[in-house]
Amino acid sequence: MKLLITGGTGLVGRNIIAEAQNRGVKLHYLTTDKRKIISDDAVKGFYWNPKQDFLDQKCFEGVDTLIHLAGATISKPWTPKNRKEIMESRVITSRMLSQSMKHEKIKMKQIMCASAIGIYPNSFEDTLTENSTETPENFLQEVTQAWEQQSHAMSDCTDHLSIFRIGLVLAKDEGLLAELSQPVKLFSGTAFATGKQWQSWIHINDLCQLFLFAAQAGWEGTYNAVAPKPVRQRTLIKELGRVLRRPVFLPNIPGAIIKLVMGERSVLILGSQKVSSELVVSKGFSFKYSLLPEALKDLYG
Ligand SMILES: NC(=O)c1ccc[n+]([C@@H]2O[C@H](COP(=O)([O-])OP(=O)(O)OC[C@H]3O[C@@H](n4cnc5c(N)ncnc54)[C@H](OP(=O)(O)O)[C@@H]3O)[C@@H](O)[C@H]2O)c1
């Protein structure tokens, strides 16, 4: 296997690259930032600028597997400019990859694309499976649906296209966990609204293993990339307090205040999605971290 990864300089991409290197897999990655290009025998960086329709075609040389992760962060305020960036960085990049591969008559053994569980509706009761998508009601759902639609267009370039709806990625001091753990460390950890929102999480190591497992097994279709045991948000904050040895005693911050401060983006912390991992488990993947306390102990213990 030889990999090409987009978004390879981000949280998930960096960890997949490290794990692929451990396994002796050679790889290329695409970056929009020339300063992030490095090149050695095992890993080679290539430049692309999707906004200006530029992609260094050499990135495809010898590659048989594509992992497409690129996308602008959703954690910046959702101003009209940032919304455009969030949407286009996913849709335009996916379109560009499929057009380039078609133009170069490249057929990959496997193409794997990121998506997010934000595609699912808000629910406090239902367990959401890969079939639980509905008409979009918020910006996250609009983005993920458009992103997946564009990813499906890559099916002309492979017989094995798979899409992974990723949950909250747990990595030490990075991503959303960094934002949640910082106040806990400062003795001001608290949950939001009722705190009963479901958080469907996945340990970064399991996510990397899942991508590489699915690549080797030639998976097709759409999969939830979440651990088997989602938790309520209040439990997540309490468990963080336990592992960081800090009490979590403050009352929850009312949802109305969060909505006032964050606007539509409040869906990121007020949204509730209890997402099922049954399909990936039934395909033979086993999680190292199924339970939150074990995952947090590994990261912060
Ligand atoms: N982390 C999570 O909890 C989580 C959950 C659900 C879904 N996801 C999705 O999984 C993917 C990877 O997540 P991550 O946490 O690794 O994200 P990340 O750390 O923010 O990295 C994203 C990467 O995308 C590239 N990128 C940013 N803006 C871009 C643009 N305008 N055009 C092209 N590339 C751009 C960047 O690479 P360069 O700067 O090198 O170009 C960056 O390294 C993302 O699409 C994310 O939405 C993540």
PDB file of all heavy atoms in Angstrom, residues 134-171:
ATOM      1  N   GLU A 134     -31.126  12.990   7.779  1.00  0.00           N
ATOM      2  CA  GLU A 134     -32.400  13.641   7.429  1.00  0.00           C
ATOM      3  C   GLU A 134     -32.110  14.917   6.644  1.00  0.00           C
ATOM      4  O   GLU A 134     -30.959  15.303   6.494  1.00  0.00           O
ATOM      5  CB  GLU A 134     -33.158  14.002   8.718  1.00  0.00           C
ATOM      6  CG  GLU A 134     -33.758  12.788   9.394  1.00  0.00           C
ATOM      7  CD  GLU A 134     -34.427  13.121  10.717  1.00  0.00           C
ATOM      8  OE1 GLU A 134     -34.538  14.320  11.047  1.00  0.00           O
ATOM      9  OE2 GLU A 134     -34.825  12.169  11.397  1.00  0.00           O
ATOM     10  N   THR A 135     -33.167  15.583   6.213  1.00  0.00           N
ATOM     11  CA  THR A 135     -32.990  16.867   5.520  1.00  0.00           C
ATOM     12  C   THR A 135     -32.248  17.827   6.458  1.00  0.00           C
ATOM     13  O   THR A 135     -32.593  17.920   7.634  1.00  0.00           O
ATOM     14  CB  THR A 135     -34.380  17.462   5.188  1.00  0.00           C
ATOM     15  OG1 THR A 135     -35.137  16.438   4.579  1.00  0.00           O
ATOM     16  CG2 THR A 135     -34.264  18.654   4.264  1.00  0.00           C
ATOM     17  N   PRO A 136     -31.211  18.542   5.945  1.00  0.00           N
ATOM     18  CA  PRO A 136     -30.413  19.402   6.826  1.00  0.00           C
ATOM     19  C   PRO A 136     -31.230  20.494   7.519  1.00  0.00           C
ATOM     20  O   PRO A 136     -32.080  21.121   6.888  1.00  0.00           O
ATOM     21  CB  PRO A 136     -29.378  20.032   5.897  1.00  0.00           C
ATOM     22  CG  PRO A 136     -29.549  19.430   4.582  1.00  0.00           C
ATOM     23  CD  PRO A 136     -30.739  18.554   4.566  1.00  0.00           C
ATOM     24  N   GLU A 137     -30.952  20.670   8.808  1.00  0.00           N
ATOM     25  CA  GLU A 137     -31.632  21.724   9.573  1.00  0.00           C
ATOM     26  C   GLU A 137     -30.659  22.732  10.134  1.00  0.00           C
ATOM     27  O   GLU A 137     -31.058  23.731  10.703  1.00  0.00           O
ATOM     28  CB  GLU A 137     -32.413  21.090  10.739  1.00  0.00           C
ATOM     29  CG  GLU A 137     -33.674  20.423  10.266  1.00  0.00           C
ATOM     30  CD  GLU A 137     -34.520  19.900  11.399  1.00  0.00           C
ATOM     31  OE1 GLU A 137     -34.024  19.773  12.524  1.00  0.00           O
ATOM     32  OE2 GLU A 137     -35.700  19.622  11.120  1.00  0.00           O
ATOM     33  N   ASN A 138     -29.362  22.436  10.031  1.00  0.00           N
ATOM     34  CA  ASN A 138     -28.376  23.409  10.509  1.00  0.00           C
ATOM     35  C   ASN A 138     -27.162  23.396   9.581  1.00  0.00           C
ATOM     36  O   ASN A 138     -27.057  22.539   8.691  1.00  0.00           O
ATOM     37  CB  ASN A 138     -27.998  23.149  11.981  1.00  0.00           C
ATOM     38  CG  ASN A 138     -27.319  21.798  12.178  1.00  0.00           C
ATOM     39  OD1 ASN A 138     -26.477  21.384  11.373  1.00  0.00           O
ATOM     40  ND2 ASN A 138     -27.677  21.102  13.244  1.00  0.00           N
ATOM     41  N   PHE A 139     -26.259  24.330   9.819  1.00  0.00           N
ATOM     42  CA  PHE A 139     -25.109  24.505   8.930  1.00  0.00           C
ATOM     43  C   PHE A 139     -24.223  23.249   8.880  1.00  0.00           C
ATOM     44  O   PHE A 139     -23.752  22.853   7.808  1.00  0.00           O
ATOM     45  CB  PHE A 139     -24.309  25.732   9.384  1.00  0.00           C
ATOM     46  CG  PHE A 139     -23.064  25.974   8.592  1.00  0.00           C
ATOM     47  CD1 PHE A 139     -23.112  26.223   7.225  1.00  0.00           C
ATOM     48  CD2 PHE A 139     -21.814  25.962   9.211  1.00  0.00           C
ATOM     49  CE1 PHE A 139     -21.947  26.443   6.491  1.00  0.00           C
ATOM     50  CE2 PHE A 139     -20.654  26.188   8.495  1.00  0.00           C
ATOM     51  CZ  PHE A 139     -20.717  26.422   7.134  1.00  0.00           C
ATOM     52  N   LEU A 140     -24.025  22.601  10.038  1.00  0.00           N
ATOM     53  CA  LEU A 140     -23.167  21.404  10.063  1.00  0.00           C
ATOM     54  C   LEU A 140     -23.731  20.301   9.175  1.00  0.00           C
ATOM     55  O   LEU A 140     -22.997  19.626   8.451  1.00  0.00           O
ATOM     56  CB  LEU A 140     -23.076  20.845  11.482  1.00  0.00           C
ATOM     57  CG  LEU A 140     -22.007  21.386  12.408  1.00  0.00           C
ATOM     58  CD1 LEU A 140     -21.900  20.504  13.645  1.00  0.00           C
ATOM     59  CD2 LEU A 140     -20.661  21.505  11.718  1.00  0.00           C
ATOM     60  N   GLN A 141     -25.054  20.142   9.247  1.00  0.00           N
ATOM     61  CA  GLN A 141     -25.686  19.116   8.414  1.00  0.00           C
ATOM     62  C   GLN A 141     -25.579  19.479   6.932  1.00  0.00           C
ATOM     63  O   GLN A 141     -25.349  18.613   6.086  1.00  0.00           O
ATOM     64  CB  GLN A 141     -27.152  18.939   8.822  1.00  0.00           C
ATOM     65  CG  GLN A 141     -27.286  18.283  10.188  1.00  0.00           C
ATOM     66  CD  GLN A 141     -28.725  18.260  10.665  1.00  0.00           C
ATOM     67  OE1 GLN A 141     -29.461  19.218  10.513  1.00  0.00           O
ATOM     68  NE2 GLN A 141     -29.123  17.158  11.251  1.00  0.00           N
ATOM     69  N   GLU A 142     -25.722  20.777   6.646  1.00  0.00           N
ATOM     70  CA  GLU A 142     -25.589  21.206   5.235  1.00  0.00           C
ATOM     71  C   GLU A 142     -24.192  20.891   4.713  1.00  0.00           C
ATOM     72  O   GLU A 142     -24.023  20.355   3.614  1.00  0.00           O
ATOM     73  CB  GLU A 142     -25.794  22.729   5.116  1.00  0.00           C
ATOM     74  CG  GLU A 142     -27.232  23.158   5.072  1.00  0.00           C
ATOM     75  CD  GLU A 142     -27.363  24.672   5.297  1.00  0.00           C
ATOM     76  OE1 GLU A 142     -26.443  25.418   4.932  1.00  0.00           O
ATOM     77  OE2 GLU A 142     -28.389  25.078   5.866  1.00  0.00           O
ATOM     78  N   VAL A 143     -23.173  21.215   5.545  1.00  0.00           N
ATOM     79  CA  VAL A 143     -21.789  21.010   5.105  1.00  0.00           C
ATOM     80  C   VAL A 143     -21.504  19.521   4.921  1.00  0.00           C
ATOM     81  O   VAL A 143     -20.982  19.099   3.881  1.00  0.00           O
ATOM     82  CB  VAL A 143     -20.790  21.610   6.129  1.00  0.00           C
ATOM     83  CG1 VAL A 143     -19.360  21.191   5.802  1.00  0.00           C
ATOM     84  CG2 VAL A 143     -20.892  23.122   6.153  1.00  0.00           C
ATOM     85  N   THR A 144     -21.867  18.718   5.929  1.00  0.00           N
ATOM     86  CA  THR A 144     -21.522  17.294   5.844  1.00  0.00           C
ATOM     87  C   THR A 144     -22.256  16.614   4.683  1.00  0.00           C
ATOM     88  O   THR A 144     -21.687  15.756   4.006  1.00  0.00           O
ATOM     89  CB  THR A 144     -21.813  16.568   7.177  1.00  0.00           C
ATOM     90  OG1 THR A 144     -23.056  17.040   7.695  1.00  0.00           O
ATOM     91  CG2 THR A 144     -20.733  16.819   8.196  1.00  0.00           C
ATOM     92  N   GLN A 145     -23.495  17.029   4.433  1.00  0.00           N
ATOM     93  CA  GLN A 145     -24.216  16.395   3.315  1.00  0.00           C
ATOM     94  C   GLN A 145     -23.597  16.775   1.971  1.00  0.00           C
ATOM     95  O   GLN A 145     -23.416  15.928   1.097  1.00  0.00           O
ATOM     96  CB  GLN A 145     -25.700  16.752   3.363  1.00  0.00           C
ATOM     97  CG  GLN A 145     -26.376  16.061   4.549  1.00  0.00           C
ATOM     98  CD  GLN A 145     -27.891  15.919   4.395  1.00  0.00           C
ATOM     99  OE1 GLN A 145     -28.453  16.182   3.344  1.00  0.00           O
ATOM    100  NE2 GLN A 145     -28.552  15.507   5.464  1.00  0.00           N
ATOM    101  N   ALA A 146     -23.250  18.059   1.830  1.00  0.00           N
ATOM    102  CA  ALA A 146     -22.628  18.490   0.566  1.00  0.00           C
ATOM    103  C   ALA A 146     -21.268  17.812   0.377  1.00  0.00           C
ATOM    104  O   ALA A 146     -20.899  17.388  -0.728  1.00  0.00           O
ATOM    105  CB  ALA A 146     -22.470  20.015   0.575  1.00  0.00           C
ATOM    106  N   TRP A 147     -20.533  17.691   1.462  1.00  0.00           N
ATOM    107  CA  TRP A 147     -19.195  17.073   1.476  1.00  0.00           C
ATOM    108  C   TRP A 147     -19.295  15.602   1.053  1.00  0.00           C
ATOM    109  O   TRP A 147     -18.560  15.136   0.181  1.00  0.00           O
ATOM    110  CB  TRP A 147     -18.708  17.206   2.903  1.00  0.00           C
ATOM    111  CG  TRP A 147     -17.299  16.904   3.244  1.00  0.00           C
ATOM    112  CD1 TRP A 147     -16.239  16.747   2.411  1.00  0.00           C
ATOM    113  CD2 TRP A 147     -16.792  16.762   4.584  1.00  0.00           C
ATOM    114  NE1 TRP A 147     -15.104  16.505   3.148  1.00  0.00           N
ATOM    115  CE2 TRP A 147     -15.421  16.508   4.475  1.00  0.00           C
ATOM    116  CE3 TRP A 147     -17.362  16.822   5.853  1.00  0.00           C
ATOM    117  CZ2 TRP A 147     -14.601  16.326   5.597  1.00  0.00           C
ATOM    118  CZ3 TRP A 147     -16.559  16.644   6.956  1.00  0.00           C
ATOM    119  CH2 TRP A 147     -15.192  16.401   6.841  1.00  0.00           C
ATOM    120  N   GLU A 148     -20.236  14.883   1.656  1.00  0.00           N
ATOM    121  CA  GLU A 148     -20.395  13.458   1.316  1.00  0.00           C
ATOM    122  C   GLU A 148     -20.840  13.278  -0.130  1.00  0.00           C
ATOM    123  O   GLU A 148     -20.386  12.381  -0.835  1.00  0.00           O
ATOM    124  CB  GLU A 148     -21.394  12.784   2.261  1.00  0.00           C
ATOM    125  CG  GLU A 148     -20.835  12.598   3.655  1.00  0.00           C
ATOM    126  CD  GLU A 148     -21.626  11.618   4.517  1.00  0.00           C
ATOM    127  OE1 GLU A 148     -22.537  10.950   3.986  1.00  0.00           O
ATOM    128  OE2 GLU A 148     -21.314  11.521   5.720  1.00  0.00           O
ATOM    129  N   GLN A 149     -21.731  14.180  -0.556  1.00  0.00           N
ATOM    130  CA  GLN A 149     -22.218  14.088  -1.948  1.00  0.00           C
ATOM    131  C   GLN A 149     -21.040  14.215  -2.914  1.00  0.00           C
ATOM    132  O   GLN A 149     -20.921  13.471  -3.878  1.00  0.00           O
ATOM    133  CB  GLN A 149     -23.207  15.219  -2.174  1.00  0.00           C
ATOM    134  CG  GLN A 149     -24.206  14.935  -3.262  1.00  0.00           C
ATOM    135  CD  GLN A 149     -25.151  16.116  -3.412  1.00  0.00           C
ATOM    136  OE1 GLN A 149     -25.249  16.993  -2.548  1.00  0.00           O
ATOM    137  NE2 GLN A 149     -25.842  16.152  -4.518  1.00  0.00           N
ATOM    138  N   GLN A 150     -20.155  15.174  -2.621  1.00  0.00           N
ATOM    139  CA  GLN A 150     -18.995  15.388  -3.484  1.00  0.00           C
ATOM    140  C   GLN A 150     -18.021  14.217  -3.379  1.00  0.00           C
ATOM    141  O   GLN A 150     -17.397  13.819  -4.355  1.00  0.00           O
ATOM    142  CB  GLN A 150     -18.320  16.708  -3.093  1.00  0.00           C
ATOM    143  CG  GLN A 150     -17.460  17.312  -4.176  1.00  0.00           C
ATOM    144  CD  GLN A 150     -18.187  17.544  -5.488  1.00  0.00           C
ATOM    145  OE1 GLN A 150     -19.167  18.263  -5.539  1.00  0.00           O
ATOM    146  NE2 GLN A 150     -17.716  16.915  -6.555  1.00  0.00           N
ATOM    147  N   SER A 151     -17.894  13.644  -2.176  1.00  0.00           N
ATOM    148  CA  SER A 151     -17.018  12.478  -2.005  1.00  0.00           C
ATOM    149  C   SER A 151     -17.529  11.299  -2.837  1.00  0.00           C
ATOM    150  O   SER A 151     -16.737  10.557  -3.425  1.00  0.00           O
ATOM    151  CB  SER A 151     -16.948  12.054  -0.529  1.00  0.00           C
ATOM    152  OG  SER A 151     -16.370  13.075   0.231  1.00  0.00           O
ATOM    153  N   HIS A 152     -18.840  11.149  -2.907  1.00  0.00           N
ATOM    154  CA  HIS A 152     -19.407  10.046  -3.696  1.00  0.00           C
ATOM    155  C   HIS A 152     -19.003  10.145  -5.169  1.00  0.00           C
ATOM    156  O   HIS A 152     -18.908   9.121  -5.855  1.00  0.00           O
ATOM    157  CB  HIS A 152     -20.932  10.003  -3.571  1.00  0.00           C
ATOM    158  CG  HIS A 152     -21.385   9.335  -2.301  1.00  0.00           C
ATOM    159  ND1 HIS A 152     -21.184   8.002  -2.060  1.00  0.00           N
ATOM    160  CD2 HIS A 152     -21.996   9.830  -1.199  1.00  0.00           C
ATOM    161  CE1 HIS A 152     -21.655   7.687  -0.858  1.00  0.00           C
ATOM    162  NE2 HIS A 152     -22.151   8.787  -0.311  1.00  0.00           N
ATOM    163  N   ALA A 153     -18.758  11.376  -5.622  1.00  0.00           N
ATOM    164  CA  ALA A 153     -18.362  11.549  -7.029  1.00  0.00           C
ATOM    165  C   ALA A 153     -17.008  10.898  -7.309  1.00  0.00           C
ATOM    166  O   ALA A 153     -16.641  10.682  -8.461  1.00  0.00           O
ATOM    167  CB  ALA A 153     -18.318  13.036  -7.370  1.00  0.00           C
ATOM    168  N   MET A 154     -16.259  10.565  -6.250  1.00  0.00           N
ATOM    169  CA  MET A 154     -14.963   9.910  -6.451  1.00  0.00           C
ATOM    170  C   MET A 154     -15.117   8.423  -6.744  1.00  0.00           C
ATOM    171  O   MET A 154     -14.125   7.726  -6.968  1.00  0.00           O
ATOM    172  CB  MET A 154     -14.079  10.092  -5.207  1.00  0.00           C
ATOM    173  CG  MET A 154     -13.566  11.491  -5.042  1.00  0.00           C
ATOM    174  SD  MET A 154     -12.246  11.490  -3.825  1.00  0.00           S
ATOM    175  CE  MET A 154     -12.663  12.940  -2.924  1.00  0.00           C
ATOM    176  N   SER A 155     -16.343   7.918  -6.709  1.00  0.00           N
ATOM    177  CA  SER A 155     -16.528   6.471  -6.919  1.00  0.00           C
ATOM    178  C   SER A 155     -16.118   6.052  -8.329  1.00  0.00           C
ATOM    179  O   SER A 155     -15.847   4.883  -8.583  1.00  0.00           O
ATOM    180  CB  SER A 155     -17.969   6.057  -6.626  1.00  0.00           C
ATOM    181  OG  SER A 155     -18.822   6.770  -7.464  1.00  0.00           O
ATOM    182  N   ASP A 156     -16.038   7.020  -9.264  1.00  0.00           N
ATOM    183  CA  ASP A 156     -15.554   6.690 -10.617  1.00  0.00           C
ATOM    184  C   ASP A 156     -14.059   6.355 -10.608  1.00  0.00           C
ATOM    185  O   ASP A 156     -13.536   5.810 -11.570  1.00  0.00           O
ATOM    186  CB  ASP A 156     -15.729   7.896 -11.563  1.00  0.00           C
ATOM    187  CG  ASP A 156     -17.185   8.163 -11.856  1.00  0.00           C
ATOM    188  OD1 ASP A 156     -18.006   7.282 -11.550  1.00  0.00           O
ATOM    189  OD2 ASP A 156     -17.494   9.259 -12.366  1.00  0.00           O
ATOM    190  N   CYS A 157     -13.377   6.737  -9.520  1.00  0.00           N
ATOM    191  CA  CYS A 157     -11.910   6.588  -9.484  1.00  0.00           C
ATOM    192  C   CYS A 157     -11.469   5.418  -8.625  1.00  0.00           C
ATOM    193  O   CYS A 157     -10.273   5.276  -8.328  1.00  0.00           O
ATOM    194  CB  CYS A 157     -11.260   7.867  -8.961  1.00  0.00           C
ATOM    195  SG  CYS A 157     -11.870   9.343  -9.762  1.00  0.00           S
ATOM    196  N   THR A 158     -12.400   4.622  -8.158  1.00  0.00           N
ATOM    197  CA  THR A 158     -12.054   3.444  -7.354  1.00  0.00           C
ATOM    198  C   THR A 158     -13.243   2.485  -7.308  1.00  0.00           C
ATOM    199  O   THR A 158     -14.386   2.903  -7.516  1.00  0.00           O
ATOM    200  CB  THR A 158     -11.708   3.851  -5.898  1.00  0.00           C
ATOM    201  OG1 THR A 158     -11.325   2.673  -5.181  1.00  0.00           O
ATOM    202  CG2 THR A 158     -12.884   4.507  -5.190  1.00  0.00           C
ATOM    203  N   ASP A 159     -12.941   1.220  -6.997  1.00  0.00           N
ATOM    204  CA  ASP A 159     -14.042   0.288  -6.750  1.00  0.00           C
ATOM    205  C   ASP A 159     -14.352   0.205  -5.263  1.00  0.00           C
ATOM    206  O   ASP A 159     -15.293  -0.465  -4.849  1.00  0.00           O
ATOM    207  CB  ASP A 159     -13.680  -1.116  -7.273  1.00  0.00           C
ATOM    208  CG  ASP A 159     -13.651  -1.117  -8.793  1.00  0.00           C
ATOM    209  OD1 ASP A 159     -14.398  -0.323  -9.393  1.00  0.00           O
ATOM    210  OD2 ASP A 159     -12.868  -1.891  -9.376  1.00  0.00           O
ATOM    211  N   HIS A 160     -13.522   0.854  -4.456  1.00  0.00           N
ATOM    212  CA  HIS A 160     -13.710   0.784  -2.998  1.00  0.00           C
ATOM    213  C   HIS A 160     -13.685   2.186  -2.403  1.00  0.00           C
ATOM    214  O   HIS A 160     -12.636   2.686  -2.018  1.00  0.00           O
ATOM    215  CB  HIS A 160     -12.610  -0.072  -2.352  1.00  0.00           C
ATOM    216  CG  HIS A 160     -12.630  -1.480  -2.816  1.00  0.00           C
ATOM    217  ND1 HIS A 160     -11.815  -1.940  -3.809  1.00  0.00           N
ATOM    218  CD2 HIS A 160     -13.412  -2.525  -2.440  1.00  0.00           C
ATOM    219  CE1 HIS A 160     -12.076  -3.211  -4.029  1.00  0.00           C
ATOM    220  NE2 HIS A 160     -13.037  -3.597  -3.216  1.00  0.00           N
ATOM    221  N   LEU A 161     -14.867   2.791  -2.348  1.00  0.00           N
ATOM    222  CA  LEU A 161     -14.975   4.128  -1.746  1.00  0.00           C
ATOM    223  C   LEU A 161     -15.656   4.000  -0.388  1.00  0.00           C
ATOM    224  O   LEU A 161     -16.724   3.378  -0.289  1.00  0.00           O
ATOM    225  CB  LEU A 161     -15.814   5.047  -2.650  1.00  0.00           C
ATOM    226  CG  LEU A 161     -16.089   6.429  -2.066  1.00  0.00           C
ATOM    227  CD1 LEU A 161     -14.863   7.329  -2.166  1.00  0.00           C
ATOM    228  CD2 LEU A 161     -17.268   7.101  -2.767  1.00  0.00           C
ATOM    229  N   SER A 162     -15.044   4.583   0.620  1.00  0.00           N
ATOM    230  CA  SER A 162     -15.706   4.554   1.933  1.00  0.00           C
ATOM    231  C   SER A 162     -15.668   5.938   2.566  1.00  0.00           C
ATOM    232  O   SER A 162     -14.751   6.737   2.317  1.00  0.00           O
ATOM    233  CB  SER A 162     -15.074   3.503   2.852  1.00  0.00           C
ATOM    234  OG  SER A 162     -13.686   3.604   2.823  1.00  0.00           O
ATOM    235  N   ILE A 163     -16.690   6.207   3.366  1.00  0.00           N
ATOM    236  CA  ILE A 163     -16.834   7.505   4.033  1.00  0.00           C
ATOM    237  C   ILE A 163     -16.944   7.241   5.531  1.00  0.00           C
ATOM    238  O   ILE A 163     -17.691   6.348   5.949  1.00  0.00           O
ATOM    239  CB  ILE A 163     -18.086   8.240   3.514  1.00  0.00           C
ATOM    240  CG1 ILE A 163     -17.878   8.632   2.045  1.00  0.00           C
ATOM    241  CG2 ILE A 163     -18.399   9.474   4.364  1.00  0.00           C
ATOM    242  CD1 ILE A 163     -19.048   9.325   1.391  1.00  0.00           C
ATOM    243  N   PHE A 164     -16.193   8.016   6.315  1.00  0.00           N
ATOM    244  CA  PHE A 164     -16.173   7.807   7.767  1.00  0.00           C
ATOM    245  C   PHE A 164     -16.729   9.028   8.479  1.00  0.00           C
ATOM    246  O   PHE A 164     -16.154  10.114   8.385  1.00  0.00           O
ATOM    247  CB  PHE A 164     -14.736   7.515   8.229  1.00  0.00           C
ATOM    248  CG  PHE A 164     -14.289   6.174   7.747  1.00  0.00           C
ATOM    249  CD1 PHE A 164     -13.800   6.018   6.454  1.00  0.00           C
ATOM    250  CD2 PHE A 164     -14.440   5.060   8.547  1.00  0.00           C
ATOM    251  CE1 PHE A 164     -13.446   4.773   5.975  1.00  0.00           C
ATOM    252  CE2 PHE A 164     -14.096   3.802   8.079  1.00  0.00           C
ATOM    253  CZ  PHE A 164     -13.603   3.659   6.792  1.00  0.00           C
ATOM    254  N   ARG A 165     -17.855   8.820   9.155  1.00  0.00           N
ATOM    255  CA  ARG A 165     -18.471   9.909   9.935  1.00  0.00           C
ATOM    256  C   ARG A 165     -17.823   9.910  11.315  1.00  0.00           C
ATOM    257  O   ARG A 165     -18.139   9.070  12.161  1.00  0.00           O
ATOM    258  CB  ARG A 165     -19.982   9.716  10.020  1.00  0.00           C
ATOM    259  CG  ARG A 165     -20.623   9.843   8.655  1.00  0.00           C
ATOM    260  CD  ARG A 165     -22.126   9.658   8.728  1.00  0.00           C
ATOM    261  NE  ARG A 165     -22.686   9.806   7.390  1.00  0.00           N
ATOM    262  CZ  ARG A 165     -23.795   9.212   6.974  1.00  0.00           C
ATOM    263  NH1 ARG A 165     -24.497   8.447   7.812  1.00  0.00           N
ATOM    264  NH2 ARG A 165     -24.239   9.407   5.748  1.00  0.00           N
ATOM    265  N   ILE A 166     -16.905  10.866  11.478  1.00  0.00           N
ATOM    266  CA  ILE A 166     -16.053  10.867  12.672  1.00  0.00           C
ATOM    267  C   ILE A 166     -16.759  11.585  13.826  1.00  0.00           C
ATOM    268  O   ILE A 166     -17.397  12.625  13.633  1.00  0.00           O
ATOM    269  CB  ILE A 166     -14.708  11.572  12.341  1.00  0.00           C
ATOM    270  CG1 ILE A 166     -14.027  10.867  11.156  1.00  0.00           C
ATOM    271  CG2 ILE A 166     -13.786  11.600  13.544  1.00  0.00           C
ATOM    272  CD1 ILE A 166     -12.795  11.589  10.625  1.00  0.00           C
ATOM    273  N   GLY A 167     -16.620  10.997  15.028  1.00  0.00           N
ATOM    274  CA  GLY A 167     -17.156  11.634  16.240  1.00  0.00           C
ATOM    275  C   GLY A 167     -16.121  12.558  16.855  1.00  0.00           C
ATOM    276  O   GLY A 167     -15.115  12.906  16.228  1.00  0.00           O
ATOM    277  N   LEU A 168     -16.365  12.947  18.100  1.00  0.00           N
ATOM    278  CA  LEU A 168     -15.431  13.824  18.819  1.00  0.00           C
ATOM    279  C   LEU A 168     -14.113  13.067  19.034  1.00  0.00           C
ATOM    280  O   LEU A 168     -14.083  12.049  19.734  1.00  0.00           O
ATOM    281  CB  LEU A 168     -16.067  14.203  20.172  1.00  0.00           C
ATOM    282  CG  LEU A 168     -15.159  14.775  21.243  1.00  0.00           C
ATOM    283  CD1 LEU A 168     -14.529  16.081  20.795  1.00  0.00           C
ATOM    284  CD2 LEU A 168     -15.956  15.005  22.525  1.00  0.00           C
ATOM    285  N   VAL A 169     -13.048  13.551  18.405  1.00  0.00           N
ATOM    286  CA  VAL A 169     -11.759  12.854  18.481  1.00  0.00           C
ATOM    287  C   VAL A 169     -11.056  13.229  19.784  1.00  0.00           C
ATOM    288  O   VAL A 169     -10.838  14.417  20.059  1.00  0.00           O
ATOM    289  CB  VAL A 169     -10.863  13.215  17.268  1.00  0.00           C
ATOM    290  CG1 VAL A 169      -9.501  12.535  17.392  1.00  0.00           C
ATOM    291  CG2 VAL A 169     -11.536  12.802  15.959  1.00  0.00           C
ATOM    292  N   LEU A 170     -10.732  12.212  20.578  1.00  0.00           N
ATOM    293  CA  LEU A 170     -10.039  12.468  21.839  1.00  0.00           C
ATOM    294  C   LEU A 170      -8.536  12.347  21.611  1.00  0.00           C
ATOM    295  O   LEU A 170      -8.021  11.279  21.270  1.00  0.00           O
ATOM    296  CB  LEU A 170     -10.467  11.458  22.914  1.00  0.00           C
ATOM    297  CG  LEU A 170     -11.949  11.436  23.282  1.00  0.00           C
ATOM    298  CD1 LEU A 170     -12.182  10.509  24.473  1.00  0.00           C
ATOM    299  CD2 LEU A 170     -12.480  12.837  23.602  1.00  0.00           C
ATOM    300  N   ALA A 171      -7.842  13.474  21.777  1.00  0.00           N
ATOM    301  CA  ALA A 171      -6.387  13.511  21.660  1.00  0.00           C
ATOM    302  C   ALA A 171      -5.895  14.482  22.729  1.00  0.00           C
ATOM    303  O   ALA A 171      -6.577  15.471  23.018  1.00  0.00           O
ATOM    304  CB  ALA A 171      -5.968  13.995  20.276  1.00  0.00           C
TER     305      ALA A 171
END
